[in-house]
Amino acid sequence: MGYRTVDADAVEPEPDRPSECRKLGGPAGLEAMAINRFRAEPGEEIPLAYHYHDEQEEAFYVLEGTLWVETPEGTHEVPNDHLFAVDPGSPQRAHVPADADAAATVLAVGAPAVSGDVHAYDPDQE
């Protein structure tokens, strides 16, 4: 058996990100999933790029504020206490628009925790 408690505020934010990103999976000893806490101020994005994954499912649970997720089908507004799920192969870009009233705090979970399956997506190439 194994159990761990992680204080998200004690995890150093990742450098060179467009918003505050605290990667919690490593400190928790998780191997099968990635879990990150983001705090995005108005005008900030969560991912490094509009992207999709080959294998990984992603879920964004909004802890505070509102998150906007741009997809090829349109932009989804995800309010506090709601979850937005993304299937593999589905492009998305999560962000908080510059004209938003407040920041958003989001828990992002991806599984499986694979590397190298993320690809930039250019909507103009469609």
Side-chain angles (χ1 to χ4, degrees):
M1 287 187 268
Y3 310 95
R4 291 160 299 283
T5 299
V6 175
D7 177 357
D9 290 326
V11 175
E12 287 295 317
E14 289 291 302
D16 304 319
R17 297 289 306 211
S19 61
E20 180 186 286
C21 172
R22 296 176 191 259
K23 293 189 174 192
L24 307 177
L30 300 175
E31 296 177 6
M33 73 171 71
I35 184 164
N36 303 314
R37 188 188 76 185
F38 292 93
R39 180 163 175 81
E41 297 291 335
E44 293 182 340
E45 295 185 17
I46 285 180
L48 291 171
Y50 200 153
H51 71 284
Y52 65 94
H53 294 272
D54 292 326
E55 298 178 44
Q56 190 178 69
E57 294 178 307
E58 288 185 289
F60 299 93
Y61 182 74
V62 180
L63 298 166
E64 184 177 86
T66 301
L67 181 70
W68 283 257
V69 183
E70 182 181 349
T71 72
E73 299 168 352
T75 300
H76 302 264
E77 190 172 327
V78 188
N80 181 57
D81 208 24
H82 283 69
L83 177 88
F84 185 81
V86 182
D87 293 333
S90 300
Q92 56 85 11
R93 180 182 75 92
H95 66 285
V96 177
D99 61 353
D101 294 333
T105 303
V106 177
L107 190 64
V109 179
V114 293
S115 62
D117 86 324
V118 65
H119 306 282
Y121 173 76
D122 183 352
D124 295 330
Q125 297 288 322
E126 283 294 300

